[in-house]
Amino acid sequence: MMIRRLTALIAIVLYFFATQSYCIAQDKPNSHFGKPGPADFDLPANPIIDTNTNAVILADVGAVHFIGNKHSWFSWVYKRQTRIKILNRSAFELATRRLMLYIGDDDGETLSEVVATTYNLENGHVT
């Protein structure tokens, strides 16, 4: 009886250790979101980008982390950074973002820390 319980306990412990797995997604991108330099305005030769292209999405990075809230539970915080090179006026709508937020009694979503920046290359200088 004792050996049977010990065997069952070892089997249960091994089961939990064997079934534990880690979720690994993509590697973090190597793009940086500081102020671009003049070299950042040059697009490398790429067969995907043709002469009819209006814009190129250079980076679109999002991350989620969780924080505690006032209901003794947690809330998620989503951060997204996008870098778009707009090549002509036909792509101006890509710079417009529309967000739908849930607005409830006490648990509504909030939008904060919105930052948008436009950079231009004029006479070899980034403005």
Side-chain angles (χ1 to χ4, degrees):
M1 186 72 169
M2 180 74 138
I3 293 178
R4 199 178 254 179
R5 283 187 177 179
L6 183 60
T7 305
L9 179 65
I10 291 173
I12 290 171
V13 169
L14 287 176
Y15 173 77
F16 282 114
F17 282 118
T19 60
Q20 180 181 8
S21 63
Y22 296 96
C23 295
I24 300 174
Q26 296 86 8
D27 293 331
K28 292 196 180 242
N30 57 2
S31 59
H32 67 287
F33 285 94
K35 185 175 179 181
D40 293 325
F41 284 85
D42 294 330
L43 285 176
N46 191 326
I48 298 173
I49 303 171
D50 65 8
T51 57
N52 295 327
T53 302
N54 297 324
V56 178
I57 297 176
L58 302 173
D60 192 3
V61 180
V64 175
H65 68 273
F66 298 93
I67 59 172
N69 63 21
K70 60 184 175 182
H71 300 294
S72 299
W73 194 238
F74 64 90
S75 297
W76 57 275
V77 176
Y78 177 65
K79 292 185 178 184
R80 181 177 179 186
Q81 292 180 309
T82 305
R83 180 165 279 179
I84 304 169
K85 179 172 174 125
I86 296 176
L87 302 174
N88 58 42
R89 291 184 178 271
S90 299
F92 279 0
E93 73 274 359
L94 288 175
T96 302
R97 297 289 177 196
R98 291 175 183 82
L99 302 172
M100 297 182 68
L101 299 175
Y102 169 73
I103 300 174
D105 298 331
D106 197 28
D107 296 328
E109 295 177 327
T110 59
L111 178 65
S112 62
E113 299 180 27
V114 177
V115 177
T117 309
T118 302
Y119 295 104
N120 292 307
L121 187 63
E122 295 176 355
N123 298 327
H125 298 290
V126 179
T127 56

